[in-house]
Every structure is written in structure tokens, then in C-alpha cells.
């Protein structure tokens, strides 16, 4: 994430609603990718999801014909606000979604809502099921996932305690809300790459045959777990479940690296931005930086921020993701 400053000079953040120093009201303008002081910009208005629910700090042009910002226009279903806690969960979902969208914009990837482009656009469903409220949603079960242009996130993934419980049950070493958004966007862009004719021939060679039975592969993964040698071949244990999941996991890590390296550059920890690096250079830079961040985390009694090692095989997969991103950028 880039570094932002208020008009008074103090540092403000991507999710800031006000400057803590001068108290001016702030908002994020996705057109200029900057934080702006509302009183300075009569041509911009706050998103109605910010005004009415406090879950968005993005702005839109007053003459856009919308009351929602461009980021909130990607929502098809929002959490049921009659359920206790859902407004807070929605806020966390929006924060992660906006962070995903900004990186996708930064990368120059095609990004349209399915309202504007019904064939190739993207939408989000934030859904509850019986686990949120058995009376409102009897016998229902929602899986976080991707299907035909729609990313579904189970609302309780925004509940830290619920998400950690699933993480422990599945023996995962990393499970974050932002990670879900980034992973699922990988499925969307892979479908877009195929539809656009830029899916590389090398996919099968690098990731394997994506035509193998998906349901059987996922069931086997949850029954038997990953192969013992997964760290040599995959970026995460879950990536070993199926080539399509391997792609989405690798894509998600690509976005983690890209955003983290951009943050490092904007905070003065690195003198190069990821936009000016080759994939190989990004991986080397990230290996150094992630070791340092992990050590800092351990110094204050926290777990590793990035508990992964990028093997040469995983690096090759990241290279292929980079190739696809470059081809999608020029569409
Ligand atoms: Zn200020
Ligand atoms: Zn909004
Ligand atoms: Zn997936």
C-alpha cells in the first residue's frame, strides 16, 4: 500500500475516516488513488455505505449517478444487518475487499462489475448460513468460493475467533480474510484469462492438469491432508489439493508479495517498488524482507507474519502468474 498524507502533513492511512492530528474528514478517491480532505473537494461525495453504515471511506464524483463508490458497486449481497455483529463483520469484509481492489487497480488488471459487464465482470456475495443464525438460515451451509464471476465470502470469515477455530481444525498455518479475497480473485482472473485467450500453454506443465476431477481431489485433500513433500512443490499446503487451487493460492501470494513490497518501498524500507522489478527480483527482495518481518514479530512475542518458504518450483509458478497478469494488463 502506498503512503498517504493529510493536507496538514501528518501520515494518514488507507482506512482513515479522519485525520487524527487536524480532525479533517478524509476519504479515498479511487480515481486518483489518493486520500483527500473532504472540504477541499466539492466535486466528490462520500459513499452511502460510509454515511449510512460506517463501513466505507471511499468517495465518488457527485455527478457519477451513483450513491455508492466504485468499490461498493461490486457488492451483490451484503451481510444481513439484522444479525448482531454483522455490521462490524461487513466493515472488515469491505476493508479487505478494498485492499484487494486497490492492488488489482494498481496492477492495471481489467476490473468491471458484472452489472456493467454481465459476461466478464465481477461481483461479491457476503453470505450468512446456519452458523450465523440457525433461525434465519436453517440447514444452510455457505462455502467461501468462486463461481461464474461471483466471489462468495462466508460472513463468519470476518469473525477472528470463528476463523481461527477453522484454521486450527484444518491445521492451516495462515488463514486471513484478505487472503480469502486474494485467493478467490485468482479463480476469477484465471477464468478471464481463458475467456480472453491469454491462458498460457505452459499452465499444465507448471501447475498440472486442471481437468482432473475437482470434487474428488478436494475431498481427498481434506481426508488425507497434503503430501509430506508439499513445501518443495507448492506455495502452501492447500495448493497441493488441485491445480486450480494451486493457481489461486499462487495468485494470492503474488498479490501478498506485490502489496507488501509496495508498502516496504513507501515506508522507506526498500528503495525499489515492485512495479520496477522483475518477478525474480521481487522474490529475492521479499525473501529478505519477510525474514526480517518474521524476526521482528518474534521479538514482540507474535507468530510469523509470513510463515512460508518460496521453493524454486513455487517461484516458477509465480513467474507464470506474472506472465498472465502482464497479458491481461494489455487487454
Ligand atoms: Zn490532518
Ligand atoms: Zn463504498
Ligand atoms: Zn479456491
Amino acid at each position: 500500500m502506498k503512503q498517504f498524507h493529510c493536507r496538514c502533513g501528518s501520515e494518514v492511512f488507507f482506512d482513515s475516516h479522519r485525520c487524527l492530528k487536524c480532525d479533517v474528514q478524509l476519504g479515498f478517491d479511487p480515481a486518483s488513488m489518493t486520500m483527500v480532505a473532504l472540504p477541499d473537494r466539492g466535486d466528490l461525495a462520500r459513499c452511502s455505505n460510509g454515511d449510512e453504515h460506517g463501513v466505507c471511506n471511499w468517495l465518488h464524483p457527485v455527478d457519477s449517478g451513483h450513491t455508492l463508490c466504485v468499490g461498493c458497486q461490486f457488492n451483490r449481497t451484503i451481510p444481513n444487518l439484522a444479525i448482531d455483529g454483522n455490521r462490524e463483520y461487513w466493515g472488515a469484509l469491505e476493508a479487505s475487499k478494498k485492499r484487494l481492489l486497490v492492488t488489482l487497480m494498481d496492477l492495471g488488471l481489467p476490473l468491471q462489475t458484472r452489472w456493467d459487464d454481465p459476461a466478464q465482470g465481477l461481483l461479491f456475495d457476503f453470505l450468512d448460513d446456519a452458523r450465523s443464525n440457525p433461525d434465519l438460515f436453517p440447514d444452510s451451509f455457505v462455502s467461501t468460493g468462486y463461481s461464474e464471476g461471483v466471489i462468495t465470502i462466508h460472513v463468519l470469515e470476518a469473525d477472528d475467533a470463528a476463523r481461527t477455530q477453522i484454521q486450527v481444525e484444518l491445521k492451516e498455518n495462515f488463514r486471513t480474510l484478505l487472503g480469502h479475497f486474494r485467493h478467490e480473485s485468482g479463480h476469477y482472473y484465471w477464468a478471464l484469462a481463458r475467456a480472453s485467450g491469454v491462458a498460457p500453454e505452459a499452465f499444465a506443465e507448471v501447475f498440472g492438469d486442471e481437468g482432473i476431477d475437482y470434487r474428488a481431489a478436494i475431498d481427498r485433500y481434506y481426508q488425507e491432508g497434503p503430501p509430506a513433500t508439499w513445501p518443495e512443490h507448492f506455495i502452501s499446503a492447500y495448493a497441493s489439493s488441485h491445480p486450480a487451487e494451486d493457481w489461486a493460492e499462487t495468485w494470492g501470494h503474488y498479490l501478498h508479495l506485490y502489496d507488501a513490497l509496495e508498502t516496504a518501498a513507501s515506508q522507506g524500507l526498500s528503495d525499489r517498488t515492485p512495479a520496477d522489478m522483475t518477478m525474480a527480483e521481487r522474490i529475492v527482495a521479499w525473501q529478505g524482507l519477510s525474514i526480517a518481518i518474521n524476526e521482528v514479530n518474534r521479538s514482540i512475542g507474535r507468530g510469523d507474519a509470513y510463515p512460508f518458504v518460496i521453493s524454486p518450483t513455487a517461484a516458477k509458478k509465480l513467474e507464470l502468474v506474472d506472465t498472465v497478469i502482464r497479458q491481461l494488463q494489455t487487454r
Side-chain angles (χ1 to χ4, degrees), residues 266-287:
S266 75
Q267 294 289 334
L269 298 171
S270 158
D271 51 11
R272 294 182 70 193
T273 66
D276 301 327
M277 296 181 192
T278 64
M279 194 64 227
E281 289 171 337
R282 290 174 191 152
I283 291 169
V284 169
W286 177 239
Q287 279 167 337

Side-chain angles (χ1 to χ4, degrees), residues 145 183-184 187 214 238 244-245 248:
H183 170 103
E184 301 306 339
H187 290 303
Y214 181 81
Y238 182 62
E245 296 310 313

Side-chain angles (χ1 to χ4, degrees), residues 19-295:
C19 172
L20 292 176
K21 184 117 184 268
C22 74
D23 201 40
V24 73
Q25 193 171 33
L26 300 167
F28 180 76
D29 172 27
S32 62
M33 301 280 261
T34 56
M35 293 295 294
V36 303
L38 259 291
D40 295 347
R41 293 294 299 269
D43 58 325
L44 296 175
R46 268 162 62 84
C47 173
S48 55
N49 280 345
D51 270 342
E52 290 167 28
H53 306 290
V55 298
C56 181
N57 71 337
W58 284 27
L59 308 172
H60 63 87
V62 286
D63 60 3
S64 66
H66 290 279
T67 58
L68 293 173
C69 73
V70 68
C72 287
Q73 288 171 37
F74 280 88
N75 294 348
R76 186 171 73 169
T77 314
I78 62 161
N80 183 325
L81 298 180
I83 298 174
D84 272 358
N86 265 9
R87 201 209 59 79
E88 285 73 20
Y89 298 153
W90 186 22
L93 288 159
E94 286 300 330
S96 289
K97 189 190 75 185
K98 301 291 172 34
R99 208 168 256 271
L100 165 70
L101 293 180
V102 155
T103 306
L104 299 177
M105 291 172 184
D106 216 21
L107 284 166
L109 283 163
L111 191 57
Q112 292 275 320
T113 68
R114 220 166 173 81
W115 312 120
D116 290 336
D117 182 349
Q120 299 202 325
L122 175 66
L123 289 173
F124 292 85
D125 278 348
F126 301 140
L127 299 182
D128 290 287
D129 63 12
R131 289 169 286 177
S132 307
N133 189 318
D135 297 331
L136 277 176
F137 310 103
D139 303 323
S140 59
F141 185 87
V142 167
S143 291
T144 288
Y146 169 81
S147 178
E148 294 182 20
V150 180
I151 289 175
T152 298
I153 307 281
H154 182 228
V155 171
L156 285 183
E157 288 292 341
D159 178 313
D160 291 339
R163 191 181 59 254
T164 304
Q165 193 184 341
I166 297 171
Q167 180 179 348
V168 171
E169 281 166 11
L170 297 180
K171 300 195 184 78
E172 294 174 344
N173 58 351
F174 192 80
R175 188 178 184 93
T176 65
L177 190 51
L178 179 56
H180 283 312
F181 278 92
R182 287 180 169 161
H183 170 103
E184 301 306 339
S185 77
H187 290 303
Y188 168 68
Y189 280 103
W190 177 244
L192 195 61
R194 288 175 62 111
S196 315
V198 301
E201 299 251 323
F203 183 94
E205 188 191 313
V206 177
F207 286 94
D209 176 10
E210 63 170 333
I212 62 169
D213 187 330
Y214 181 81
R215 202 60 265 164
I218 299 297
D219 287 348
R220 185 173 348 103
Y221 173 78
Y222 284 120
Q223 277 161 22
E224 298 170 13
T229 56
W230 74 261
E232 293 165 37
H233 306 288
F234 301 97
I235 195 120
S236 70
Y238 182 62
S240 70
S241 61
H242 187 276
E245 296 310 313
D246 192 6
W247 163 269
E249 283 288 276
T250 308
W251 175 281
H253 278 254
Y254 181 99
L255 299 183
H256 287 329
L257 262 77
Y258 196 92
D259 189 18
L261 288 173
E262 190 176 70
T263 304
S266 75
Q267 294 289 334
L269 298 171
S270 158
D271 51 11
R272 294 182 70 193
T273 66
D276 301 327
M277 296 181 192
T278 64
M279 194 64 227
E281 289 171 337
R282 290 174 191 152
I283 291 169
V284 169
W286 177 239
Q287 279 167 337
L289 187 66
S290 60
I291 288 170
I293 297 169
N294 287 347
E295 280 296 299

